Amino acid sequence: MRARARISYKKQTLLILLLLIVPFLICLLLYNLYTANTVVNANILQENKSKLRVYSSSFEKNLSNIHAFMSTTVANDTNFKVLGYKVGKLDAFLSANEILEKSKNVMSMYDIVTGFFLYSAPNGLMWNEFQLKTETMNRPKLTEEVQGMMQQGDFTPAGWFVRELNAESYLVRVFEYKQAYFVCIIHLNRAAQLLNMDGSANANALLFASGDMRLLTADPDLDPSAHVLTTNSSGKPYDTTKVGEKKYLFIQSDFGVSGVKMVYLVALRSIWANMDSKQLSLLFSSILCLLLVPLGYYLLNRSFFSPFKGMVHTMNSIKDGNFDVTMSNQSPILEFEQMSETFNEMLQEIKSLNIKTYEQMLEAQLATMQYLRIQIRPHFYLNCLNNLYALAQNGDYKQIQEMILLLSGYLRHMFQESPYFVSLADEMRNTETYVELQRMTQSIPIYFSADVVDELRDFPIPPITILTFVENSMKFGMYQNKSLIIHVKVRLLKNDAMNYVNITILDNGKGFPEEELSRLNSEQTGEDSQHVGISNVKRRFYIQYKGKAILSFSNSNGACVDIFIPYSEPESQAEPETNNGVV
């Protein structure tokens, strides 16, 4: 097989840089043309900034005069004060009519006003006066929404504010006296058209926008899909924005309404309009040079970017635990191929070490589980043998026979069970057999009851879990001349975060000593000479459930043990897979 040609990455980098630098020098010549175009647009910007200041000043002055009229009416006009009280309909009408007549005069002077509204809450009456030039607006709908705004108190009394009425943006001013309201609304879209009387002639647009540049008005010359203006300066002395397919110079001005801006868009002059033949030739030369940039990128990508990307992808896969991946060594760069070969050899070595470590961990875990099972079961067997010995001393041979039959059936069942998990039904059956064996040897009655939800009878749990705590109640919970009562309850607890199976073992015995409760409820799983069975259950739960199961010990008229085991849906509750005999 013919060997692939390889070169040093230094030489490859030098060739690529040369290919990029030469076009860059040519493009640098075009910068002068770009600068000239920028200066032209900057001059246009200054000219239209002055125009926007005139628009903004005029609009703000109109708002100030309207505000003065409304505040004077509310403060000094007795007709308005009448509306704040419960009066006859005729009196209310006459007072409102006087105010609206004055409002007509104001609207004749200020075309930007859409309408005035009077609302008397004590009388439940609403009056309005609209600008004659607003016939196309849905006046009943506007009146209804303004009345709803007054009734709900959903307005800002401190100054002008923007509100959506009849699906369009309006500037609103509300004055209030007791429960009488004087409202002025200004349709922002119409106000922008009135202010920008020469906008249609030069394709410029005067708009209103919120503080985050969301458009509150529209313009017939703009793309109707435009809702938010995004500005871009790119290092130029002016901002630009794009609306649809057109670019505009972007000029903004704040005025006396908080959170509302006046925006003026000036059609951006095309660079072609200012270029002569020499400049056009220079531009086409630059375009030709720019066509070489993709070639340079292709070489960079093939020689550097792709190999680096492959390395990062391989490392991320290894980080996620996938040690079967390898690093590709198909790069034409000699150093990259050497790195790939070295990395793959190192990865193979790590893989071998991980397998050995994992096998050792499994063997240690298996040994721990076997030790715990061997340690917990003889505790019960020795108790049974002691009980048989006591019965033999008393000569109660019939009871010995019954006990041996129960014990042999119990042991046969135990030896057939999985060493790691048994069903909840089997665990309860073994526990009931154990209680029956204990009843045969005790002079004091023992009462045992269980309440298990049917859907949990097949739920898998570690063997001898419930039996250990029932045995503990037998050992430590009995009083002289007092019947021992043991109750086991199993239920399913569901919440959004995690579902748990809750197993409660409760007796009426002496309970746990107070000095032992804190130690039993701790997360420690070490040896306990007094409660060997409980200690082993805690250690088995820690190994098998990785710390997700919870054991809680308390006293409630006796000893109370609560076990919480994570629960999943029935299809995923099968016994966990084993590896070399380890869960």
Side-chain angles (χ1 to χ4, degrees), residues 2 21 86 89 199 262 334 359 407 467 506 542 577:
R2 188 175 64 182
I21 289 174
K86 179 68 175 177
K89 287 187 177 181
M262 187 176 288
L334 180 62
E359 289 176 347
L407 182 59
L467 178 61
L506 183 66
Y542 180 80
E577 295 182 2

Side-chain angles (χ1 to χ4, degrees), residues 433-548:
T433 302
Y434 168 79
V435 173
E436 188 62 31
L437 287 169
Q438 291 291 347
R439 282 197 184 106
M440 300 178 68
T441 61
Q442 299 292 335
S443 59
I444 300 174
I446 300 174
Y447 298 97
F448 177 81
S449 60
D451 180 10
V452 182
V453 179
D454 290 339
E455 64 178 298
L456 297 177
R457 297 189 67 81
D458 293 328
F459 181 75
I461 64 172
I464 323 178
T465 297
I466 298 176
L467 178 61
T468 298
F469 296 107
V470 171
E471 183 181 9
N472 189 75
S473 295
M474 296 282 191
K475 183 177 179 181
F476 297 102
M478 284 193 175
Y479 283 104
Q480 187 174 4
N481 300 324
K482 179 180 178 182
S483 299
L484 178 64
I485 301 173
I486 302 174
H487 179 67
V488 177
K489 184 176 182 179
V490 183
R491 60 188 183 277
L492 180 61
L493 304 179
K494 294 185 177 182
N495 57 51
D496 294 336
M498 175 73 76
N499 298 333
Y500 285 92
V501 173
N502 175 218
I503 304 173
T504 303
I505 302 100
L506 183 66
D507 65 45
N508 66 335
K510 301 176 182 179
F512 296 105
E514 292 297 330
E515 61 273 11
E516 291 187 16
L517 276 178
S518 59
R519 180 175 51 79
L520 289 172
N521 284 314
S522 69
E523 296 182 358
Q524 298 178 358
T525 57
E527 297 287 347
D528 186 345
S529 58
Q530 187 173 1
H531 298 284
V532 176
I534 294 178
S535 176
N536 282 339
V537 169
K538 291 176 67 176
R539 293 176 65 189
R540 284 193 298 147
F541 268 52
Y542 180 80
I543 292 174
Q544 291 172 309
Y545 294 105
K546 310 301 182 185
K548 294 181 180 180

Side-chain angles (χ1 to χ4, degrees), residues 47-338:
E47 176 186 344
N48 286 281
K49 271 188 175 180
S50 300
K51 185 181 293 186
L52 180 61
R53 280 195 292 269
V54 172
Y55 292 156
S56 177
S57 176
S58 174
F59 188 65
E60 191 168 0
K61 184 177 180 181
N62 288 344
L63 292 182
S64 177
N65 291 337
I66 295 168
H67 173 275
F69 162 70
M70 295 179 69
S71 61
T72 301
T73 299
V74 172
N76 302 326
D77 198 324
T78 56
N79 289 310
F80 184 79
K81 298 185 184 306
V82 168
L83 299 179
Y85 301 93
K86 179 68 175 177
V87 295
K89 287 187 177 181
L90 179 60
D91 292 336
F93 172 78
L94 293 175
S95 297
N97 189 61
E98 287 290 334
I99 298 173
L100 293 178
E101 283 297 324
K102 297 177 183 178
S103 302
K104 284 183 182 179
N105 297 330
V106 173
M107 285 190 289
S108 65
M109 291 186 292
Y110 304 105
D111 287 350
I112 62 171
V113 176
T114 302
F116 285 101
F117 299 84
L118 285 170
Y119 177 65
S120 173
N123 299 286
L125 297 176
M126 181 79 174
W127 300 272
N128 60 63
E129 188 65 47
F130 283 95
Q131 183 74 246
L132 294 177
K133 301 175 183 178
T134 59
E135 293 84 358
T136 58
M137 295 183 180
N138 191 340
R139 295 182 176 185
K141 181 66 174 176
L142 282 173
T143 303
E144 179 183 345
E145 293 189 7
V146 170
Q147 183 172 352
M149 183 170 58
M150 298 302 102
Q151 291 173 340
Q152 298 170 12
D154 183 20
F155 58 87
T156 303
W160 293 94
F161 60 94
V162 176
R163 180 59 50 88
E164 291 290 326
L165 299 174
N166 195 25
E168 294 190 85
S169 297
Y170 284 81
L171 206 57
V172 183
R173 184 67 175 97
V174 180
F175 280 89
E176 176 184 3
Y177 173 76
K178 295 192 177 295
Q179 297 186 55
Y181 303 90
F182 192 19
V183 184
C184 176
I185 65 172
I186 297 175
H187 188 211
L188 286 177
N189 204 52
R190 181 173 175 273
Q193 294 173 5
L194 291 172
L195 289 170
N196 188 29
M197 296 304 295
D198 61 339
S200 58
N202 53 23
N204 297 342
L206 182 66
L207 305 169
F208 288 96
S210 62
D212 57 358
M213 288 296 109
R214 182 177 59 86
L215 288 180
L216 302 175
T217 60
D219 189 277
D221 294 327
L222 295 180
D223 190 327
S225 63
H227 298 290
V228 179
L229 293 178
T230 302
T231 61
N232 178 31
S233 63
S234 302
K236 300 174 184 177
Y238 53 84
D239 292 332
T240 62
T241 187
K242 190 173 183 181
V243 182
E245 297 299 323
K246 296 182 180 180
K247 292 186 69 174
Y248 295 86
L249 286 173
F250 177 85
I251 313 170
Q252 64 174 332
S253 173
D254 294 325
F255 58 96
V257 179
S258 176
V260 181
K261 298 177 180 292
M262 187 176 288
V263 178
Y264 197 50
L265 302 183
V266 182
L268 192 64
R269 294 183 61 176
S270 171
I271 190 173
W272 301 96
N274 300 320
M275 292 179 63
D276 55 25
S277 59
K278 293 181 180 180
Q279 292 171 330
L280 286 172
S281 300
L282 184 59
L283 178 62
F284 287 129
S285 299
S286 301
I287 292 174
L288 181 61
C289 294
L290 289 175
L291 293 177
L292 296 177
V293 173
L295 177 60
Y297 175 80
Y298 168 76
L299 293 176
L300 277 174
N301 185 64
R302 180 172 175 268
S303 302
F304 293 98
F305 300 157
S306 291
F308 273 122
K309 184 178 179 181
M311 288 181 180
V312 172
H313 177 72
T314 302
M315 292 177 182
N316 286 333
S317 297
I318 295 171
K319 182 180 178 182
D320 294 336
N322 181 12
F323 288 90
D324 295 328
V325 297
T326 56
M327 189 173 289
S328 174
N329 58 359
Q330 299 300 314
S331 173
I333 306 300
L334 180 62
E335 286 80 357
F336 276 132
E337 184 175 5
Q338 293 174 348

Side-chain angles (χ1 to χ4, degrees), residues 309-437:
K309 184 178 179 181
M311 288 181 180
V312 172
H313 177 72
T314 302
M315 292 177 182
N316 286 333
S317 297
I318 295 171
K319 182 180 178 182
D320 294 336
N322 181 12
F323 288 90
D324 295 328
V325 297
T326 56
M327 189 173 289
S328 174
N329 58 359
Q330 299 300 314
S331 173
I333 306 300
L334 180 62
E335 286 80 357
F336 276 132
E337 184 175 5
Q338 293 174 348
M339 289 173 59
S340 299
E341 291 176 355
T342 304
F343 186 86
N344 289 335
E345 291 174 1
M346 181 179 65
L347 182 61
Q348 189 62 35
E349 184 67 21
I350 292 173
K351 214 160 111 180
S352 301
L353 292 174
N354 278 346
I355 292 174
K356 292 178 182 178
T357 303
Y358 184 64
E359 289 176 347
Q360 292 174 356
M361 181 186 69
L362 292 180
E363 291 175 0
Q365 194 178 57
L366 175 60
T368 301
M369 291 293 297
Q370 289 174 340
Y371 166 75
L372 292 175
R373 294 200 309 275
I374 293 171
Q375 188 183 32
I376 195 169
R377 288 187 176 178
H379 186 67
F380 168 68
Y381 302 151
L382 291 175
N383 284 345
C384 290
L385 291 176
N386 288 335
N387 292 336
L388 286 171
Y389 178 78
L391 290 173
Q393 278 187 326
N394 295 331
D396 196 346
Y397 301 112
K398 181 178 180 180
Q399 200 167 9
I400 291 174
Q401 291 175 339
E402 293 176 1
M403 187 172 183
I404 290 175
L405 288 175
L406 285 172
L407 182 59
S408 63
Y410 173 79
L411 294 177
R412 186 182 303 111
H413 189 75
M414 291 288 290
F415 292 148
Q416 291 175 353
E417 292 290 354
S418 163
Y420 301 104
F421 287 94
V422 296
S423 69
L424 188 58
D426 288 341
E427 174 71 6
M428 292 303 302
R429 191 160 40 248
N430 292 343
T431 302
E432 290 170 356
T433 302
Y434 168 79
V435 173
E436 188 62 31
L437 287 169

Side-chain angles (χ1 to χ4, degrees), residues 11-44:
K11 294 181 179 179
Q12 184 79 357
T13 304
L14 180 60
L15 290 174
I16 294 173
L17 287 177
L18 287 175
L19 186 62
L20 292 176
I21 289 174
V22 173
F24 173 75
L25 292 175
I26 298 174
C27 292
L28 188 61
L29 298 176
L30 295 175
Y31 180 72
N32 291 329
L33 176 62
Y34 168 79
T35 303
N37 187 68
T38 302
V39 170
V40 171
N41 286 319
N43 292 334
I44 295 173

Side-chain angles (χ1 to χ4, degrees), residues 7 388 568:
I7 61 175
L388 286 171
S568 56

